[in-house]
Amino acid sequence: MGSAQRSTLGLVDGSTTHEKASYIDNFPVYVKELIAGGAAGAFAKTAVAPLERIKILLQTRTNGFQSLGVHQSLKKLLKHEGVKGFYKGNGASVIRIVPYAALHYMTYEQYRSWILNHYPILGSGTHIDLLAGAASGGTAVLCTYPLDLARTRLAYQFVDKRGSFEYGRKGFQSQTAYKGIKDVLFSVYKEGGTRGLYRGVGPTLIGILPYAGLKFYIYEELKRHVPEEYENSITMRLSCGALAGLFGQTFTYPLDVVRRQMQVGNRLSTVQGGEAGFKNTLEGLTTIVRKQGWRQLFAGLSINYIKIVPSVAIGFTAYDTMKFWLRVPPRQKSQPTSSA
């Protein structure tokens, strides 16, 4: 190959690369953050889908799973529902998590910049991440909550290979199983309107505000103490993300249990004498303690620890990596910034 031809090819390749770079650079920063957040959320959620399914079955006291551990629960699911059982409700979960994570990460960056620019008196430490994380978590929940409810309803159905199924406990074999996300949303709306689609949103918001805030706060605080030469290390990001998820989840887990029981609503209350018909979060907490025992507030927590470590760690790592690939400008650590 002649030097002229190599030069021409090099020019073409370089031009193509430059065009791709220019195309990416033309995206507004918030669009890049939406893409990075959505991709990170979908990747992390699918990675831990089997553990998420087991956690929901334990939280909602599904028949046959109350006394089982993680390994035995996974074996039971495999026996009765096959490999597909591990991912039941994951379609709804991913459909929910893509817009949820996209909004969560993007609005976090935007809220953070807004606070730094408009309230300089608050300073620029990691407490800003706490405020921005809490606000972004609430925003993302309100925009995507019906999809979370649909995911829970689908995961709550325990169906074996013979075609029979249960909703939590014996007595639901006569019910008709949900066929998918659309069927859940239509049925819930028909039963309770818009209010029904947001059943359990109270404890969700009460739980997500401190959890989301703590998650971002702890992650950024840990990163702040990492030597500069290790800041881009994948291992470092995974470790910081795992610790952030563990601490944040521990403080808010009982609210997640109340949320799940409120989401399955009438189905659970029918077989348990109305004990899941909670009017609000406080009533849910006290009723569960009185009728199900305080341990039920932490049902599935051990699984959640196993799940939250890779989930949050993968989520933060994927988000930071996607931001790097999409050429999102780095944030200034000690000064207000509008470019996130």
Side-chain angles (χ1 to χ4, degrees), residues 125-254:
T126 48
H127 61 283
I128 301 300
D129 296 293
L130 179 67
L131 296 174
S136 65
T139 300
V141 163
L142 289 174
C143 292
T144 62
Y145 188 79
L147 291 172
D148 183 48
L149 183 142
R151 184 274 300 263
T152 300
R153 289 286 182 97
L154 288 171
Y156 183 48
Q157 296 177 154
F158 176 58
V159 186
D160 64 29
K161 294 179 179 178
R162 295 168 295 184
S164 64
F165 65 93
E166 300 176 355
Y167 282 106
R169 292 193 173 194
K170 294 179 180 178
F172 283 108
Q173 287 84 348
S174 60
Q175 298 283 342
T176 301
Y178 289 126
K179 298 176 181 178
I181 302 169
K182 184 178 179 180
D183 187 31
V184 176
L185 295 176
F186 179 78
S187 298
V188 172
Y189 183 79
K190 187 177 180 180
E191 292 171 4
T194 303
R195 189 172 182 177
L197 291 173
Y198 280 85
R199 182 179 181 86
V201 74
T204 303
L205 285 174
I206 294 173
I208 199 64
L209 294 179
Y211 171 64
L214 285 170
K215 183 175 68 173
F216 280 104
Y217 170 79
I218 295 170
Y219 182 66
E220 294 299 333
E221 182 66 21
L222 289 172
K223 281 172 57 177
R224 193 168 69 86
H225 291 86
V226 172
E228 188 173 348
E229 60 268 25
Y230 296 108
E231 284 186 353
N232 294 323
S233 166
I234 296 295
T235 302
M236 182 280 297
R237 290 174 177 171
L238 285 170
S239 300
C240 292
L243 289 172
L246 282 171
F247 283 117
Q249 188 69 195
T250 300
F251 291 116
T252 60
Y253 191 79

Side-chain angles (χ1 to χ4, degrees), residues 257-269:
V257 174
V258 175
R259 170 172 65 118
R260 296 301 184 193
Q261 292 205 14
M262 289 183 76
Q263 285 178 334
V264 296
N266 295 333
R267 300 181 187 281
L268 189 57
S269 61

